[in-house]
Amino acid sequence: MRSFPAALKLVSIAALAAGFVTAPAAQADVSTLEKRLGSSAAGSYLDDSGRLVVAVTDQAALATVTASGARARLVQHSAATLQASTAVLDRSAKIPGTSWGTDPVTNQVVVSADTTVTGASLARLKAAVAGLGDTARLEQVPGSFTTTISGGDAILGGGVRCSLGFNVKRPGTSTAYLLTAGHCGNLTSTWSTSGGQVIASRTGTSFPGNDYALFQYTSNISRPGEVNLYNGTRRSIDSAGNAVVGQTVGRSGSTTGFHRGKVTGLNVTVNYVDGTTVTGMIATTVCVQGGDSGGPLFANNTALGLTSGGSGDCTSGGRSFYQPVTEALNAYGVTVY
């Protein structure tokens, strides 16, 4: 496996969604393009055909996007307007069992309420959303938003089971670590295998707010830069990148194995039912269950995130939230390999 000299590699659309975008869109880097658009930018996503769509609020920006090779779409609300709406929710609607984030497809902030939000709390949430006019919409979802910890096998510590995210190392050294979820890292100072072998010791953890933790390997256990696809094969991970709305992604976890889905939101705020809040999350349609926490979210050979939590299950379906991996890599000065 290759190693990379920086924790955050800037990757093009081709790397972010290899196999899911057409050649013209692959020529434009999302973040660079949106910076050029300035206040006219309103988000971007991959459509059903895999082509990059960039939403803008004026005709000049429309021409800039088209010239870049991406598809342009004219919308009413700018990214700044939608961010102002999320700021109102941050101040007035931090209710356990809710989440919100910008949906560039509908050009709105999507506010979700799980089944635990009822009575006065639901009325308060509805009032907050109504006050935002057509910049926001409310949806009610089955299940409850919880972090996903349970007892069992995989990496064990503190009486709980979680899933390993990505093996990482410090550039220029052979010192190896594993990344997992911060809510898992808060509960134990060491991880062990299902056979009881202690393999790693906690270096740092961040939860709530973020949801990532770093553990340094303390044993000589094999630690390849791969993820388990739970079909007898593994996928090599050789870079890290940022997710795109509409992107097809995979998630691996010690309870439910490998599942696919699509990215539905970025920079999402989640208020879990235990009262903790995380921000800046990736939202997807991939299912999760207890014990999948900390596991890897990826697209092809690119690391994208660490499993934080979600609602529903892998029988009836659900939704899930992920800590962007690039933030964790930068925080600890490590790289995937």
Side-chain angles (χ1 to χ4, degrees), residues 92-98 100 111-129 138 140:
S92 64
K94 279 196 175 178
I95 299 166
T98 62
W100 49 78
V111 183
S112 300
D114 70 17
T115 54
T116 68
V117 183
T118 59
S121 293
L122 182 58
R124 175 183 158 200
L125 186 64
K126 286 181 175 179
V129 174
L138 176 65
Q140 293 180 272

Side-chain angles (χ1 to χ4, degrees), residues 35-330:
K35 285 177 182 177
R36 286 176 58 198
L37 296 172
S39 61
S40 298
S44 58
Y45 60 95
L46 300 179
D47 65 18
D48 290 340
S49 68
R51 187 174 182 184
L52 176 67
V53 180
V54 180
V56 296
T57 57
D58 60 58
Q59 292 293 334
L62 203 71
T64 299
V65 172
T66 302
S68 76
R71 176 185 159 202
R73 175 168 164 251
L74 195 63
V75 297
Q76 180 180 358
H77 306 300
S78 68
T81 297
L82 298 180
Q83 287 166 6
S85 291
T86 61
V88 171
L89 294 166
D90 289 340
R91 294 192 300 269
S92 64
K94 279 196 175 178
I95 299 166
T98 62
S99 71
W100 49 78
T102 298
D103 178 7
V105 180
T106 62
N107 194 227
Q108 290 179 304
V109 175
V110 179
V111 183
S112 300
D114 70 17
T115 54
T116 68
V117 183
T118 59
S121 293
L122 182 58
R124 175 183 158 200
L125 186 64
K126 286 181 175 179
V129 174
L132 299 175
D134 65 356
T135 67
R137 74 175 190 274
L138 176 65
E139 63 177 18
Q140 293 180 272
V141 300
S144 60
F145 293 146
T146 61
T147 51
T148 52
I149 294 177
S150 72
D153 294 326
I155 52 174
L156 308 176
V160 301
R161 169 168 62 88
C162 284
S163 298
L164 189 152
F166 299 100
N167 285 326
V168 298
K169 67 179 182 180
R170 294 201 187 279
T173 76
S174 59
T175 307
Y177 306 82
L178 67 85
L179 281 174
T180 189
H183 67 270
C184 296
N186 284 2
L187 299 176
T188 182
S189 60
T190 62
W191 286 120
S192 301
T193 66
S194 57
Q197 177 188 6
V198 177
I199 60 170
S201 178
R202 185 173 64 204
T203 298
T205 184
S206 182
F207 178 84
N210 303 305
D211 200 357
Y212 53 75
L214 185 73
F215 284 71
Q216 182 175 343
Y217 279 106
T218 56
S219 78
N220 291 324
I221 191 169
S222 177
R223 39 184 184 265
E226 301 171 340
V227 295
N228 190 350
L229 299 183
Y230 285 89
N231 62 359
T233 68
R234 294 176 180 268
R235 175 73 54 79
S236 176
I237 298 297
D238 55 21
S239 65
N242 299 310
V244 180
V245 172
Q247 182 179 16
T248 297
V249 292
R251 189 271 306 155
S252 183
S254 62
T255 298
T256 59
F258 176 70
H259 289 271
R260 289 183 183 274
K262 291 205 171 191
V263 175
T264 58
L266 304 175
N267 198 30
V268 173
T269 295
V270 186
N271 301 297
Y272 287 122
V273 294
D274 63 2
T276 56
T277 297
V278 290
T279 61
M281 297 289 108
I282 302 166
T284 81
T285 61
V286 191
C287 65
V288 294
Q289 291 181 202
D292 288 330
S293 274
L297 180 76
F298 53 96
N300 296 307
N301 305 101
T302 301
L304 296 175
L306 302 165
T307 304
S308 177
S311 65
D313 56 45
C314 290
T315 299
S316 59
R319 61 183 61 203
S320 52
F321 306 103
Y322 301 83
Q323 165 68 52
V325 74
T326 52
E327 182 181 2
L329 294 173
N330 283 333

